[in-house]
Amino acid sequence: MSERTDPEPSRPLRSWIRSSPGTHIWLLIIAVTSIIVAIAPDQVDRVLLHRNSSNIHQLVQHPVRALISSAFWIANPASLALYAVLFEVFHAPVERWLGTLRWLAIVATAHVVATLISQKVLLTAIQDHRAPRSMTHVVDIGVSYGLAASIGVLTYRLPSPWRWVYLAGVIAFFGIPLATGGTFTDLGHAIALAVGLLSWPLTRHAVSRETPAFHVKRD
C-alpha cells in the first residue's frame, strides 16, 4: 500500500499539488509546449503541431509517438488558462479520489481508445469519399479526450440527486454536438466520456486523499 501524504494546512497550495501530482506534471508539460508554440515562427509552430498530432498519417507512420505526444500539446496557447482551470476542476479531484495510477489508467485509456476509433471512422469516411483526403493530415492534438473521461468518472463522486443532474448536463454537453452532425472530434469526446462512465469498477473502495482513512503513528 502506498504511503499517503497528510495535508499541510499551513501550505494549502503545496498540499493541493502534492495530492494530485499527475495532474500538475501534465499541466506543466502543456504549459512548456504552449510557450514553445507561442514563441515559434509561424512555419515552425505548424510543423510542431502536425508532427505531434495523432492524425491518420502520424498514426500510420509513428503510432506510439503520435498517441503519446498528442496528449501534451494544445493548438491554441491562449487556451492554456482555460485548460488550467479545467484540470483543477476535473482532473485534480479525480486523481485525489482514485489515486494517480487509477486516474492515469482511465485518462490514458480514454485518450487512446477515443483517438483510434475516431480516426478509424474518419479513415472510413475518406475511403468512402465522404471526407477529403487532406483530413489524413488534420491537426488532432490536445487533452480534451482525457478531460472528457475525468468528467465522466466524476459522476460517481457526487451524491444523489446532484449526480443525475450532473450526468444529464454532461451527456447533453457532449451528445448534442455529436447528434447534430458532429465532427470526428465530437465522436472522440463521446467515446472518452463513455470510457470514464464505464470505469465505475475502478471507483469502488476508493479513498480520497482529502480525508485519509487512517493515520499511522510514527515513533
Side-chain angles (χ1 to χ4, degrees), residues 87-179:
F87 268 51
E88 299 296 348
V89 172
F90 296 108
H91 277 318
V94 173
E95 184 182 0
R96 298 184 87 194
W97 175 38
L98 300 182
T100 300
L101 290 180
R102 276 189 281 186
W103 162 80
L104 182 59
I106 293 169
V107 297
T109 299
H111 175 75
V112 171
V113 171
T115 297
L116 293 179
I117 294 179
S118 62
Q119 289 297 321
K120 176 60 177 178
V121 170
L122 177 59
L123 177 60
T124 301
I126 293 172
Q127 292 171 338
D128 293 343
H129 307 290
R130 291 181 287 108
R133 188 162 296 276
S134 60
M135 291 293 286
T136 58
H137 294 273
V138 69
V139 173
D140 182 29
I141 58 174
V143 299
S144 56
Y145 293 163
L147 273 169
S150 279
I151 289 170
V153 174
L154 200 59
T155 302
Y156 304 112
R157 182 65 168 151
L158 302 175
S160 297
W162 301 112
R163 172 182 299 177
W164 308 113
V165 175
Y166 173 86
L167 180 60
V170 165
I171 291 176
F173 181 83
F174 289 105
I176 290 176
L178 183 62

Side-chain angles (χ1 to χ4, degrees), residues 16-146:
W16 174 263
I17 293 174
R18 289 183 65 190
S19 67
S20 50
T23 295
H24 293 94
I25 291 172
W26 192 3
L27 189 57
L28 177 61
I29 295 173
I30 293 170
V32 171
T33 58
S34 296
I35 292 172
I36 292 173
V37 171
I39 66 178
D42 288 343
Q43 295 296 331
V44 175
D45 66 7
R46 282 196 287 270
V47 170
L48 285 171
L49 294 179
H50 280 87
R51 181 177 175 79
N52 291 284
S53 181
S54 54
N55 55 36
I56 294 170
H57 174 76
Q58 292 295 335
L59 285 172
V60 171
Q61 297 295 324
H62 312 284
V64 176
R65 189 195 72 189
L67 287 170
I68 295 174
S69 63
S70 61
F72 296 102
W73 298 75
I74 57 177
N76 183 7
S79 301
L80 178 61
L82 172 61
Y83 279 111
V85 172
L86 293 175
F87 268 51
E88 299 296 348
V89 172
F90 296 108
H91 277 318
V94 173
E95 184 182 0
R96 298 184 87 194
W97 175 38
L98 300 182
T100 300
L101 290 180
R102 276 189 281 186
W103 162 80
L104 182 59
I106 293 169
V107 297
T109 299
H111 175 75
V112 171
V113 171
T115 297
L116 293 179
I117 294 179
S118 62
Q119 289 297 321
K120 176 60 177 178
V121 170
L122 177 59
L123 177 60
T124 301
I126 293 172
Q127 292 171 338
D128 293 343
H129 307 290
R130 291 181 287 108
R133 188 162 296 276
S134 60
M135 291 293 286
T136 58
H137 294 273
V138 69
V139 173
D140 182 29
I141 58 174
V143 299
S144 56
Y145 293 163

